[in-house]
Amino acid sequence: MISKYRKQFNSSFSEQKYKDFLNALGEGFPEIPFRVAETPIFLPADLVSKLVEAGAEIIKLIQQPNFGELTKGSIPAQWNVPNENSQPHFLTFDFGICKDEKGDLVPKLIEMQGFPSLYGFQAVLGKAYKEAYGLASSLTPFLNGFDEESYIALLKKVILGDCEPHEVALMDIDALEQKTAIDFYITQGYLGIKILGLTDIFKEGNSLYYREGGEKIKLKRIYNRLIFDEIADKTDLFKESFDPREELDIEWVTHPNWFYRISKYTMPFLKSEFVPETYFLNELDAVPADLENYVLKPLFSFAGMGVIIDVSISDIEAIKDPENWILQKKVVYEPVVQAPDGGVKAEIRLMYLWPDGGEPQLCINLARLSRGKMIGVRYNKDFDWVGGTIGLVEGE
């Protein structure tokens, strides 16, 4: 979107450069199982300014004294974990890039999470694009004055706290089998923490441990990457490890309840030019006359699962649990990234770190490119110039 960089990039692009980029990015790691796009996005300063403003408005809501009360209905009873702390450690806000009535670029909120994203991988990805394509040294994936050194220092502070690396584990179900395993390896490289699957951890009393070299090691913190919805039908795994819903002597980074509090559930409470109109389905006074301009989303799903794009009245009438759905004004993405054969739609994820006792800090970003009906792998299977990427901005 910064035209001078886009023209330079496209004019010098080749499939061989792209292959070399992917090889350099994946060197030393298992094969990356998701598509990484051919190009970064060059984000202009005025759009970045609007993204920052939009993020600040959301954070203002999250920091309201009554936020806990507003979102008390967001946590499913079967996944309510004790000892919730007063703040999430991670915030990620996804914005579709659109145009307003004046033709100016504007971000529109799509989704939000109080849950970690690819905080390790994105730092490596930004550097890989710059090196592989010989991009200007002034371009950076970092925001808010951060650079690689200060970013990793804050990431370390947030995840480790006062603990030693061996006392902290990044946890997911079958962690090294996840599609995001490369992020786990990179994070381990930065911080020295353990990567553990759920069943690698066991409980004695109310403490959690893992074994290494025959030695029993106590865990003090879990960098949680497990989404409980993914194991809803696999709770027998708790018998082999531990049940997170019990009282435990463990610190969560971030506490699992924040995954639900900061989510699609939060969106109806936001009133902003950067947020599409959103309603809890059970609180809707009347079905909008222009229903074709809305999308129906289940509250408790992820990765776009269950979303109804072309909504009909019969779809709404068929919903048995309207309290668990939202109706949201459609966001019309603008194909703002110029590929060699046409425009591509873009989504930008702002990624914040929130240290204990501190303030949330915008550090880095994630981006996705799409030619399909929706952002996401299954809508973009047969396209090029789509997939995961990152926004680069001109440094100060």
Side-chain angles (χ1 to χ4, degrees):
M1 287 177 272
I2 302 178
S3 60
K4 67 175 180 179
Y5 294 123
R6 175 52 55 206
K7 288 174 183 175
Q8 290 169 4
F9 186 94
N10 287 15
S11 64
S12 64
F13 176 81
S14 70
E15 286 297 328
Q16 187 58 51
K17 283 185 179 180
Y18 178 49
K19 289 177 183 176
D20 292 344
F21 156 71
L22 291 177
N23 289 336
L25 178 64
E27 187 175 1
F29 299 108
E31 183 178 355
I32 300 173
F34 52 88
R35 193 177 199 284
V36 179
E38 285 82 345
T39 179
I41 301 175
F42 304 108
L43 295 175
D46 57 343
L47 178 59
V48 173
S49 178
K50 291 174 184 175
L51 284 163
V52 170
E53 181 183 351
E57 289 183 4
I58 299 169
I59 289 170
K60 185 177 179 181
L61 171 70
I62 294 167
Q63 291 185 315
Q64 285 182 190
N66 67 336
F67 185 74
E69 181 66 21
L70 279 178
T71 57
K72 66 181 181 181
S74 66
I75 306 166
Q78 69 270 30
W79 294 123
N80 198 336
V81 174
N83 302 318
E84 181 180 332
N85 63 337
S86 61
Q87 66 183 64
H89 296 93
F90 308 92
L91 294 171
T92 63
F93 306 148
D94 292 350
F95 294 90
I97 305 305
C98 311
K99 279 191 176 178
D100 62 17
E101 61 279 358
K102 295 182 289 186
D104 296 328
L105 296 181
V106 61
K108 291 286 186 180
L109 184 66
I110 303 297
E111 205 155 325
M112 54 199 294
Q113 287 186 329
F115 190 79
S117 186
L118 304 179
Y119 280 82
F121 179 71
Q122 289 305 109
V124 171
L125 180 62
K127 183 187 291 186
Y129 274 122
K130 290 183 65 177
E131 292 178 353
Y133 290 107
L135 302 179
S137 60
S138 59
L139 291 170
T140 176
F142 299 104
L143 301 163
N144 196 27
F146 279 90
D147 58 18
E148 183 178 18
E149 183 179 357
S150 59
Y151 172 68
I152 299 306
L154 182 58
L155 187 68
K156 186 174 184 178
K157 179 180 179 181
V158 167
I159 295 176
L160 293 184
D162 296 326
C163 299
E164 295 298 319
H166 70 274
E167 298 172 322
V168 182
L170 184 158
M171 184 195 74
D172 201 340
I173 183 173
D174 298 327
L176 296 181
E177 303 302 316
Q178 296 294 313
K179 286 185 177 180
T180 53
I182 187 171
D183 177 68
F184 299 175
Y185 283 117
I186 290 169
T187 303
Q188 182 182 55
Y190 282 145
L191 309 182
I193 61 178
K194 297 299 297 182
I195 302 173
L196 299 177
L198 182 63
T199 54
D200 294 326
I201 300 171
F202 62 95
K203 182 169 78 85
E204 290 185 2
N206 66 344
S207 297
L208 300 180
Y209 300 86
Y210 68 95
R211 293 191 186 277
E212 185 169 66
E215 183 182 357
K216 184 175 75 173
I217 301 172
K218 182 178 179 180
L219 280 173
K220 294 185 178 179
R221 276 195 155 203
I222 290 178
Y223 175 31
N224 183 46
R225 301 297 295 268
L226 175 62
I227 296 173
F228 289 161
D229 291 0
E230 292 181 341
I231 56 168
D233 58 350
K234 301 176 184 176
T235 52
D236 282 351
L237 291 170
F238 294 158
K239 296 174 184 176
E240 304 173 44
S241 54
F242 70 99
D243 190 333
R245 298 165 296 188
E246 296 178 354
E247 290 280 348
L248 297 167
D249 180 20
I250 198 74
E251 294 178 12
W252 293 96
V253 189
T254 192
H255 192 283
N257 290 359
W258 287 105
F259 174 80
Y260 298 103
R261 288 194 184 278
I262 300 173
S263 64
K264 291 187 286 286
Y265 191 96
T266 320
M267 293 185 66
F269 303 113
L270 289 162
K271 308 301 177 188
S272 165
E273 64 176 303
F274 304 116
V275 181
E277 294 174 19
T278 307
Y279 308 94
F280 290 114
L281 193 59
N282 65 320
E283 296 180 2
L284 197 64
D285 294 328
V287 175
D290 58 339
L291 193 56
E292 69 276 7
N293 292 324
Y294 288 79
V295 60
L296 195 58
K297 295 182 177 182
L299 286 174
F300 305 114
S301 73
F302 54 95
M305 297 295 291
V307 173
I308 301 173
I309 303 171
D310 300 311
V311 188
S312 66
I313 291 178
S314 60
D315 289 323
I316 292 176
E317 292 172 343
I319 299 296
K320 304 292 191 229
D321 55 342
E323 70 279 6
N324 292 327
W325 291 74
I326 56 171
L327 189 68
Q328 185 181 89
K329 196 79 174 283
K330 281 182 179 176
V331 170
V332 180
Y333 291 74
E334 185 72 17
V336 292
V337 175
Q338 187 63 44
D341 60 347
V344 182
K345 294 176 283 189
E347 192 169 283
I348 305 294
R349 174 175 294 174
L350 299 183
M351 298 165 61
Y352 298 77
L353 291 171
W354 195 341
D356 289 322
E359 292 292 319
Q361 299 185 51
L362 175 59
C363 302
I364 198 167
N365 74 92
L366 179 153
R368 290 184 287 184
L369 295 176
S370 173
R371 298 179 191 253
K373 197 167 188 178
M374 283 181 65
I375 300 279
V377 173
R378 62 186 174 279
Y379 299 99
N380 288 277
K381 286 181 179 177
D382 301 317
F383 300 122
D384 60 5
W385 286 64
V386 298
T389 182
I390 197 164
L392 298 179
V393 303
E394 290 185 302
E396 296 175 359

